[in-house]
Amino acid sequence: MKYMTEKQIEEARAAVPALHKMLHLNTGTKGLTAQPVIDALVRLTKQLEETEGYAGLSAVQAESLTARARLATFLGCDDSELAFTGNATESLNIALSVRWDAWGTSNNGPVDVLISDHEYPTTNMLFGYLSQIGKVNLIRFSLSEDMQKMLESLEQNFTSNTRLVVASHVDCNTGLRIDAKALCDWCRTKNIISYIDGAQAVGQFPINLHEMGCDLYISNGHKWLFGPNGVGLLYIKSGLETSLTPLCVGTGTMHFDPNGVYEGDPKWAHGAQRFELLATRPAQVFATMHAALDWYEHFGEGAIEARQRELTAQIKARLLEMPDRFRLITPLAWEEASALASFQIIGVSGAQILDFCSAQLTQKRAFIRAVPEFDAIRLSMAYYNTPEEYEILWEMLEGI
Ligand SMILES: Cc1ncc(COP(=O)(O)O)c(C=O)c1O
């Protein structure tokens, strides 16, 4: 694996403007965008808004579609299996398109959904809503980096009415990484749908969706791909799209008839793209993913991962040096974790941590993520961060 050179790290730091205005240790919420990517977004926006207006939209739309095809290659799937949405939350909402009633259960009640105990708050909101309206019955299983342990929990909670499993590829609370392929293999043996949330995974390490074998996978462009806000990714395994009901109909999702004749069966766009509304969308934001991928790739294959892995190992080691003060709650091994590390501070509650993180942002422009549910702080180790920045944090923490 190629490691980023010192010169590249310097180049990276110089190219990320926000780094010089704040202490940013929270790429898990928003990755910082490098100047060439910002420039691409501005150039495309100007092209549309300053020079060509609506007449320029189709060219930028075309660029957004080639960016999508490039992302499909990056993720190891077919272009027709990938749709752009506005963010990962919008992609998560594909759950509303599932024809839950059609799946049938032995007791004519709602279907059982196995959902992990570490899901993103909005995922809990979404499936909570599906439960409130009587579509699903939620059963929790324990998300774990230890596949054997996770399988035991899945087996214990599996019922004859289970039709879908919801799990994060990388858990947003602790950064633990699951063996997504093993989970999807298990789902296939049980004949149930795998629905994987990769919002914290894409960009952190190589992902090949065909090899993973998942049915539904969601992510975004603004975290570990360091793109602009407004890019969501939705993967639907080829063929599965016909079992889902699109909730939005408009340009892009369906074949357009200039005569306004819509008879017979609806003529949906190919594959996952029946879920991608083109209309007058901010195509420049999607097209900017070309620049984001150019930037990501110009360091060399595997270089960003190698850098983030090394930095994360250093930060974890530093936390472990202070056992009377900190308790690391993230697995140590890179293969079982990611460039996120969460830790508790002995004797400090989640509420105190939340207050501390809010105060650091307003008073010191330090962006750190609290995980109050776990009485923890979550650190992100992005390629542009340096060990010195975390030293500043340890000093700040003396005040808590
Ligand atoms: C695991 C996970 N899923 C989903 C999301 C939602 O992402 P978005 O902001 O793109 O909607 C997040 C955001 O932090 C996340 O961590």
Side-chain angles (χ1 to χ4, degrees):
M1 192 178 275
K2 188 177 179 290
Y3 187 77
M4 275 174 78
T5 60
E6 283 305 317
K7 204 161 158 259
Q8 282 181 320
I9 296 168
E10 258 173 49
E11 178 206 352
R13 287 186 64 79
V16 179
L19 263 188
H20 307 284
K21 301 184 179 105
M22 62 193 301
L23 179 67
H24 188 281
L25 306 181
N26 192 2
T27 292
T29 294
K30 168 74 179 112
L32 294 181
T33 308
Q35 196 63 54
V37 184
I38 301 169
D39 291 346
L41 181 62
V42 171
R43 177 180 53 77
L44 288 161
T45 305
K46 285 189 165 196
Q47 185 178 326
L48 281 174
E49 307 296 345
E50 213 174 79
T51 318
E52 297 176 44
Y54 194 83
L57 184 60
S58 60
V60 182
Q61 288 279 31
E63 228 173 299
S64 73
L65 300 189
T66 54
R68 189 188 63 207
R70 210 171 143 189
L71 282 160
T73 306
F74 186 83
L75 292 171
C77 67
D78 298 339
D79 180 33
S80 59
E81 293 173 306
L82 196 65
F84 271 143
T85 65
N87 47 44
T89 303
E90 207 177 302
S91 300
L92 275 168
N93 272 270
I94 190 72
L96 298 181
S97 294
V98 171
R99 291 184 207 138
W100 299 101
D101 300 334
W103 272 347
T105 52
S106 51
N107 55 6
N108 286 328
V111 304
D112 289 344
V113 166
L114 275 170
I115 179 167
S116 103
D117 53 356
H118 278 239
E119 290 314 299
Y120 182 66
T122 313
T123 314
N124 288 327
M125 183 195 289
L126 173 64
F127 280 89
Y129 167 70
L130 285 168
S131 161
Q132 284 172 314
I133 60 172
K135 299 290 182 196
V136 304
N137 174 39
L138 298 181
I139 303 176
R140 296 279 166 182
F141 72 94
S142 311
L143 197 80
S144 177
E145 71 283 11
D146 177 342
M147 192 56 204
Q148 211 39 49
K149 232 164 110 188
M150 192 158 88
L151 273 183
E152 276 166 30
S153 177
L154 285 163
E155 288 286 354
Q156 270 165 17
N157 291 294
F158 177 80
T159 70
S160 59
N161 289 330
T162 304
R163 301 283 180 270
L164 185 125
V165 170
V166 185
S168 287
H169 194 174
V170 167
D171 160 31
C172 63
N173 299 310
T174 66
L176 84 77
R177 186 192 323 187
I178 62 162
D179 184 340
K181 177 170 168 22
L183 175 68
C184 296
D185 287 348
W186 181 83
C187 287
R188 249 190 329 278
T189 64
K190 301 287 187 190
N191 206 16
I192 54 182
I193 300 288
S194 49
Y195 176 102
I196 312 286
D197 178 348
Q200 294 292 352
V202 169
Q204 289 230 44
F205 43 81
I207 290 172
N208 186 307
L209 295 173
H210 281 174
E211 275 172 22
M212 187 191 296
C214 61
D215 296 301
L216 297 166
Y217 194 92
I218 66 107
S219 193
N220 56 32
H222 68 261
K223 296 184 189 291
W224 299 97
L225 288 175
F226 310 100
N229 286 356
V231 178
L233 301 170
L234 169 64
Y235 165 82
I236 303 175
K237 186 182 175 164
S238 175
L240 183 63
E241 73 280 359
T242 57
S243 313
L244 303 165
T245 307
L247 296 177
C248 279
V249 173
T251 318
T253 67
M254 203 184 252
H255 170 75
F256 174 71
D257 189 320
N259 300 316
V261 180
Y262 294 92
E263 288 168 346
D265 289 337
K267 290 198 182 79
W268 294 113
H270 194 42
Q273 280 134 38
R274 63 177 62 188
F275 293 93
E276 184 172 332
L277 203 55
L278 294 182
T280 314
R281 68 176 179 178
Q284 69 273 29
V285 175
F286 300 102
T288 297
M289 287 313 291
H290 269 303
L293 286 174
D294 288 344
W295 176 252
Y296 184 96
E297 288 168 357
H298 100 281
F299 293 109
E301 195 179 343
I304 285 190
E305 181 189 1
R307 161 83 180 140
Q308 294 180 167
R309 175 182 178 151
E310 164 96 10
L311 187 58
T312 303
Q314 284 178 29
I315 300 308
K316 284 179 176 171
R318 191 80 176 81
L319 282 163
L320 293 174
E321 275 171 18
M322 304 176 264
D324 298 339
R325 181 80 173 124
F326 301 131
R327 196 169 84 83
L328 180 68
I329 58 168
T330 302
L332 269 184
W334 175 250
E335 291 72 17
E336 296 175 353
S338 60
L340 293 166
S342 296
F343 63 97
Q344 295 168 331
I345 307 173
I346 313 295
V348 177
S349 70
Q352 286 171 297
I353 285 178
L354 190 60
D355 286 348
F356 170 81
C357 291
S358 311
Q360 301 316 298
L361 185 59
T362 48
Q363 293 163 16
K364 300 190 181 147
R365 295 193 56 77
F367 193 30
I368 314 152
R369 167 75 142 79
V371 192
E373 315 86 290
F374 288 71
D375 297 321
I377 288 181
R378 183 191 77 187
L379 297 179
S380 301
M381 274 60 69
Y383 71 95
Y384 43 62
N385 289 125
T386 59
E388 294 73 37
E389 289 178 309
Y390 300 85
E391 290 304 324
I392 300 173
L393 174 71
W394 311 139
E395 266 174 42
M396 282 177 172
L397 285 172
E398 282 169 16
I400 191 171

